[in-house]
Amino acid sequence: MLLLVVAVLPTLELARQRSRARIDIHNESLKSVGTQDARTMEERIRDFGPDRSIVVGLSWRSAQRKNEDAAEVEKLSVVLADDPITARLDRLPIASQTLTLFELALTDEASRNCESALEHVRALVREVRPTAAQPLISGQIAGEVAIARAVADEQQRVFPVVALVLAVVLFLIYRHLAIVAAALLPAAIAVVSTGGLHAVAGHAVDPLSGLLEPVLMTVAVASAIHVIEGYLGQRSRGFEPESAAVESIIDLRVPALWTTGTTIAGFLTLWTSDIPAVARFGTFASLGVVLAFVTSFTVAPAILVIAARGDRIRRLRARSEGMRAFFRRATARLYRRRGLVAVATVALSVMSGAWLPRLRADTDPLQILPRTHAFRQDLEAITAAGVSAMRFDLILDDEARPLGLLDDRVVSATLRATRVHGCLGLGGMPRRSERGSILIPLITDLRGSAGQCALLEGVELAARDAGIPRARATGTLVRVARDSEHLVTRRSAGIVVMLVVLFFVFLAAFRSVALAVMALIPNALPAMMIYGAIAALGQSLNVATAMIGSAMLGIVVDDTIHFVHRYRRAILTGVERRLAIVEALQSVGAAIGITSLALVCGFLASLTGSLSTTRDFGLLAAATIALALAADLVVLPALLMLRRPVISVERRATAVGGTAV
């Protein structure tokens, strides 16, 4: 009981810190650091100031009514221009009979609190606008605030749903509230503590940190389930609660340490990303896994000993002989078909691998928001009128020959850039900095990052062809598009690194090259199949789904380690390989099945989220785990039965002595 109090009290304080976490309004953590694009953005801010503009629009149903309201529109423009938060107000030159757009640049002071400034502008427009005009608010600030606020709301909404779904699933399996508490309370402590530490470290809530809690919740519950199944197994053998808890911890400590290490390794591969949110996700996910391991082996046994003591607990594991008979029959059938399973595994690997080169990234930040979101509806209304509010900048510079706004090369570069496919023209008036660089605002209607990257390269090349040596596209659109493309490349390399790390982990844990290779195959296969299917269906990766491979690889490997650990221990004691597989399945088969079911249900609960990143990540994670379960229970046993492992007499004697790994 004292242990529970000691664990809960710090968690309550961290929960308070978590609830007070600030929001990354400008989504800065999703923008790369140390890259050429990051340096170009720094130059843009240094020479021209930050891009803190709000697009204010008015839409009418007819051109006649727009003309009738011309005086009121002029009044609104005066009110906006004279407002203290306004640094500059420009009326955008657009060819529309029913739409008027203004670009409002905030003062430096107002830009420090963009969310309040945005609400002020929105209220001002609603108050002064012509009654027949529909107000529209768009632009960079509006988009960033909309996404940041939606992510924060999503985090508060999805986590309770995931916890509730896991509680229902576990209660349906065990029919015992104490066991449900033993699975969920350690997980909740780990998740809330990780979120609190994230806030204490000064990090803001961003679109990826919103995925952290559902991921950690499912991982922590899976860890606790192995402890619960071990405890129930010891109770079924006649151990008293205290002894059963101790024996289960001793029995699980080695595979649990290996599984924790591999999961951490999977998340730490995200460190290679130059996008802070991705690298930070890997850091705090790893921290959460450590906390989950600690709470699963301390809090969960404490709850079981206190509240799960009766004879009913013994009856929960009174299915041992039936399970053994089932696994014996399943293993015999699998033995007869082991060659077919091996051939099918090779075929699936080849087919999936053939599609992987076609995998691409195509991120549209607006797709994160639901179609019913006010910002997205306003932007769609502007786009429907034939106008694009998606702006980026082209910076021109020549250190040898200073440029002017009317320089022939600048005029030529501007004309060439506006003729590139996807560029709709100027998005404002060109400007010249004191240092002599030129900023050309441009607009586009291209949404996906793949098309945008092609546009940006074309615009830069067009300016260079006009005789300007340094031409660089910049802006939020540029950062998001190019960072998305780089992320896929980095994640592909991360998966390869993770597979190499896993091989050496398996080699150290199982002390056999053959076992290491066979254990690696069923873990690599699900990620290959998921990514191959995405490519085959013509879909693309976004920031969230690009992380599936390395992150899930570290999670799904847990069941493989538990299974091969039991199998190898049986082999080392002289058991025939098919019986060793039966013993491994009987020992950890139920835990593997229940943990996989819990993980799948937990991630599928993320489908209740309103953001596409939450739903996409949850769906692909659930599919990956389901495929991994099939691979662990079908592919891995079939591979193990293809050949007899070579175990030396000395190591077999060592295993009998009790030190087998």
Side-chain angles (χ1 to χ4, degrees), residues 150-207:
V151 167
D153 294 342
E154 183 93 325
Q155 187 174 8
Q156 300 299 322
R157 182 173 54 252
V158 172
F159 176 63
V161 174
V162 172
L164 178 61
V165 168
L166 289 173
V168 171
V169 170
L170 293 174
F171 183 77
L172 291 176
I173 293 173
Y174 291 111
R175 304 297 177 93
H176 199 291
L177 290 176
I179 294 181
V180 174
L184 292 183
L185 185 57
I189 292 174
V191 170
V192 172
S193 298
T194 303
L197 292 172
H198 186 274
V200 170
H203 301 307
V205 176
D206 59 63

Side-chain angles (χ1 to χ4, degrees), residues 545-619:
T545 55
M547 297 166 56
I548 285 290
S550 53
M552 288 298 103
L553 194 58
I555 294 175
V556 300
V557 74
D558 293 3
D559 290 340
T560 301
I561 291 178
H562 280 285
F563 178 85
V564 177
H565 170 77
R566 300 289 182 172
Y567 166 81
R568 184 173 181 275
R569 189 163 67 177
I571 287 291
L572 286 169
T573 57
V575 175
E576 195 270 332
R577 54 181 168 168
R578 275 187 289 178
L579 290 179
I581 291 174
V582 172
E583 288 192 12
L585 289 172
Q586 183 187 15
S587 178
V588 298
I592 290 175
I594 294 171
T595 55
S596 298
L597 177 62
L599 287 170
V600 168
C601 292
F603 281 118
L604 287 180
S606 299
L607 296 180
T608 60
S610 61
L611 304 185
S612 63
T613 49
T614 305
R615 297 194 302 271
D616 292 347
F617 188 90
L619 180 61

Side-chain angles (χ1 to χ4, degrees), residues 391-413:
R391 201 187 89 172
F392 65 98
D393 299 321
L394 179 64
I395 294 182
L396 309 177
D397 195 10
D398 186 350
E399 295 180 356
R401 297 169 55 192
L403 299 173
L405 289 174
L406 299 180
D407 190 298
D408 290 343
R409 291 178 297 160
V410 173
V411 174
S412 176

Side-chain angles (χ1 to χ4, degrees), residues 175-476:
R175 304 297 177 93
H176 199 291
L177 290 176
I179 294 181
V180 174
L184 292 183
L185 185 57
I189 292 174
V191 170
V192 172
S193 298
T194 303
L197 292 172
H198 186 274
V200 170
H203 301 307
V205 176
D206 59 63
L208 290 186
S209 67
L211 300 174
L212 187 60
E213 293 186 351
V215 169
L216 287 182
M217 187 69 181
T218 50
V219 172
V221 166
S223 178
I225 287 173
H226 278 285
V227 175
I228 291 169
E229 284 293 310
Y231 173 82
L232 296 178
Q234 299 298 336
R235 291 282 282 140
S236 69
R237 297 184 182 95
F239 284 92
E240 292 301 314
E242 291 78 5
S243 300
V246 172
E247 290 297 323
S248 64
I249 292 173
I250 294 174
D251 194 43
L252 287 169
R253 70 184 188 278
V254 173
L257 283 171
W258 284 114
T259 58
T260 300
T262 54
T263 304
I264 291 173
F267 285 126
L268 289 184
T269 59
L270 300 176
W271 276 6
T272 59
S273 176
D274 48 27
I275 299 176
V278 176
R280 193 179 302 146
F281 183 94
T283 300
F284 282 91
S286 301
L287 175 61
V289 170
V290 173
L291 293 175
F293 170 79
V294 173
T295 55
S296 295
F297 278 79
T298 54
V299 177
I303 295 175
L304 292 172
V305 169
I306 294 171
R309 302 178 62 90
D311 291 337
R312 182 182 175 190
I313 300 301
R314 297 173 185 261
R315 292 196 296 270
L316 285 172
R317 283 301 294 254
R319 58 184 188 264
S320 179
E321 289 304 317
M323 288 176 59
R324 184 177 181 84
F326 169 78
F327 287 131
R328 188 183 293 113
R329 292 193 300 271
T331 303
R333 293 174 183 174
L334 188 60
Y335 179 78
R336 292 192 295 269
R337 296 171 176 82
R338 64 191 186 280
L340 178 62
V341 172
V343 171
T345 301
V346 173
L348 285 173
S349 301
V350 172
M351 291 173 57
S352 300
W355 282 102
L356 291 180
R358 304 185 186 185
L359 196 63
R360 60 188 178 89
D362 197 11
T363 299
D364 179 3
L366 294 180
Q367 295 298 324
I368 295 177
L369 300 172
R371 292 185 179 275
T372 56
H373 195 281
F375 172 79
R376 189 166 175 182
Q377 289 183 335
D378 284 357
L379 184 61
E380 295 292 347
I382 295 174
T383 305
V387 180
S388 175
M390 300 176 62
R391 201 187 89 172
F392 65 98
D393 299 321
L394 179 64
I395 294 182
L396 309 177
D397 195 10
D398 186 350
E399 295 180 356
R401 297 169 55 192
L403 299 173
L405 289 174
L406 299 180
D407 190 298
D408 290 343
R409 291 178 297 160
V410 173
V411 174
S412 176
T414 303
L415 291 175
R416 289 170 181 261
T418 56
R419 293 170 184 165
V420 175
H421 174 71
C423 182
L424 299 183
L426 291 176
M429 296 299 296
R431 289 185 282 161
R432 184 180 187 274
S433 71
E434 295 180 358
R435 200 174 56 84
S437 58
I438 305 295
L439 182 143
I440 310 294
L442 300 170
I443 55 175
T444 179
D445 59 353
L446 298 178
R447 291 287 185 88
S449 60
Q452 289 171 352
C453 283
L455 166 65
L456 300 173
E457 292 178 6
V459 166
E460 291 174 339
L461 180 61
R464 295 189 187 103
D465 290 342
I468 297 178
R470 295 187 64 196
R472 305 172 305 283
T474 188
T476 300

